[in-house]
Amino acid sequence: MVSKSPSPATRWPALRGGLVALLAAVLFGVSTPLVQRWGAGLGSFTTAGLLYAGAALVGLLLRQPVEREARLRRADLPRLAWMALFGAAIGPVALAWGLQHTSGTSASLMLTLEAVFTALLARAWYHESLDRRVQLALALLTLGGMALVLDRAHGGGGQWLGLLAVLLATAAWGMDNTLSRALAERDPGQVVMFKGLLGALATLGLAAALGEGWPAAGPALALLGVGATGYGLSLRFYLLAQRAFGAARTGSVFAFAPFVGAVLAWAMGAQSGGPWLLVGAALMAAGIILHLAERHDHLHEHESLTHEHAHTHDDGHHDHHHDRMPSGPHSHPHRHHPVRHAHEHVPDEHHRHMH
């Protein structure tokens, strides 16, 4: 059947999803120079383990009742394990090592490339649309990362190796982001809790096996706090943003995180870079602006779909009835009937059609 467009309250989906992603970006961006400060002299596995222990605690505290958010299922566990491997083990360990061998400012800006890996993987796995502006944005972000490597290479001291380790972290987190897209409809508190717990157990176990020293109480508590906000809360908002407007676009907005980190690193006294640092920053800024300029509106069809996730009844896609209408977001299995309409949209859980 043909349906009217969704209500005015549901317009500007990219802006609404983008604001949530921006909040996630700020929280994570602030964490990068703080990890460099409080993790100085610590083993990479110990640092990562403390960060994700803090994230797991936040996830435990932010779980929602079953009537408000969909529970994780047994079938989700393999995907969650892969997310923990890439996002809670490889990513933070590579970042922790890289931050000890390069400039905090350059490392923060290099993290912008996480958006590139996320967007490309989202396109390959979920067929999310990427128009020419987005493709140009990805190219600019890539060139910006290359400029940062040149800046550290000219700086000497092997700092480019540290920056390449940060690059490995961005690739791991890009994989993590893409894997998490399929769990965006689940309770984000549960996802954060289990991912953080798996990551903390794995990295702290490796830290013990390798004989890494345990930090003093002050740095340990600081890293737990950074993990709670910069990894736990940030991941929760990231999952909500993915639910709102897809993996690729969430990754593009999240690319603001490195600039937040770079500014804070500079304010904390990080060494400045050379001209290539400025070139890289300019290219990445241009890429982000282009990424956010995308608009997407066309006539499209929705096939019949049955799924479970948190939803409301004012978005033009949930017209089923309740004996007693719930107030606000609620979750239960529900069915969508086929519909055909046109409105501005992004690749959320209801707009995964091919282009």
Side-chain angles (χ1 to χ4, degrees):
M1 69 178 190
V2 178
S3 170
K4 295 185 294 183
S5 297
S7 66
T10 64
R11 292 175 183 169
W12 305 103
L15 177 61
R16 290 182 292 108
L19 290 175
V20 179
L22 184 59
L23 181 56
V26 170
L27 289 170
F28 181 73
V30 168
S31 74
T32 303
L34 296 179
V35 170
Q36 185 176 41
R37 168 164 292 188
W38 293 108
L42 298 181
S44 301
F45 290 104
T46 301
T47 301
L50 288 170
L51 290 172
Y52 274 96
L57 179 60
V58 164
L60 175 66
L61 297 175
L62 294 179
R63 290 176 303 164
Q64 296 295 310
V66 66
E67 62 271 13
R68 294 195 61 183
E69 288 282 1
R71 304 287 89 183
L72 280 170
R73 301 170 183 172
R74 186 183 299 273
D76 297 327
L77 294 180
R79 181 177 292 268
L80 196 60
W82 282 109
M83 287 171 55
L85 173 63
F86 285 104
I90 297 176
V93 168
L95 177 64
W97 190 90
L99 287 172
Q100 294 175 2
H101 295 83
T102 191
S103 157
T105 303
S106 296
S108 292
L109 290 173
M110 175 60 85
L111 289 173
T112 308
L113 292 182
E114 182 180 334
V116 177
F117 289 112
T118 302
L120 294 177
L121 288 170
R123 176 62 177 174
W125 289 4
Y126 303 116
H127 307 291
E128 293 189 9
S129 60
L130 300 176
D131 64 14
R132 291 182 178 179
R133 285 174 295 182
V134 174
Q135 294 173 22
L136 178 58
L138 295 177
L140 290 172
L141 290 170
T142 303
L143 290 173
M146 294 170 63
L148 294 180
V149 173
L150 287 174
D151 177 73
R152 290 301 91 194
H154 289 172
Q159 290 196 31
W160 64 275
L161 289 174
L163 206 56
L164 288 180
V166 177
L167 177 63
L168 173 61
T170 67
W173 276 321
M175 180 68 74
D176 173 32
N177 296 338
T178 312
L179 287 167
S180 68
R181 176 67 184 93
L183 299 183
E185 297 179 8
R186 308 285 191 257
D187 178 4
Q190 273 201 331
V191 176
V192 172
M193 180 184 69
F194 281 108
K195 176 185 173 182
L197 181 60
L198 290 173
L201 290 175
T203 50
L204 290 177
L206 287 170
L210 295 173
E212 290 188 353
W214 189 255
L221 290 174
L223 287 172
L224 284 171
V226 172
T229 56
Y231 287 70
L233 279 177
S234 177
L235 176 57
R236 183 179 187 275
F237 288 124
Y238 194 99
L239 290 167
L240 292 173
Q242 283 191 323
R243 178 187 297 180
F245 75 152
R249 287 150 185 81
T250 299
S252 70
V253 177
F254 197 74
F256 276 109
F259 290 96
V260 177
V263 171
L264 182 58
W266 175 80
M268 292 170 61
Q271 66 184 63
S272 59
W276 281 112
L277 177 65
L278 297 178
V279 171
L283 287 169
M284 288 179 168
I288 290 171
I289 292 172
L290 279 175
H291 232 324
L292 296 178
E294 183 193 14
R295 300 289 297 273
H296 193 69
D297 184 349
H298 64 88
L299 185 66
H300 56 277
E301 296 183 4
H302 295 268
E303 299 179 353
S304 178
L305 173 66
T306 300
H307 62 172
E308 179 182 3
H309 65 100
H311 61 277
T312 59
H313 287 263
D314 62 352
D315 61 1
H317 292 96
H318 295 89
D319 55 0
H320 55 269
H321 298 285
H322 294 265
D323 293 335
R324 183 178 179 182
M325 183 63 70
S327 60
H330 55 281
S331 178
H332 61 89
H334 56 277
R335 181 170 181 261
H336 294 271
H337 297 285
V339 66
R340 187 175 186 229
H341 59 186
H343 63 93
E344 185 177 351
H345 60 277
V346 286
D348 58 18
E349 65 265 31
H350 298 108
H351 297 92
R352 299 181 183 178
H353 50 265
M354 296 286 292
H355 291 80

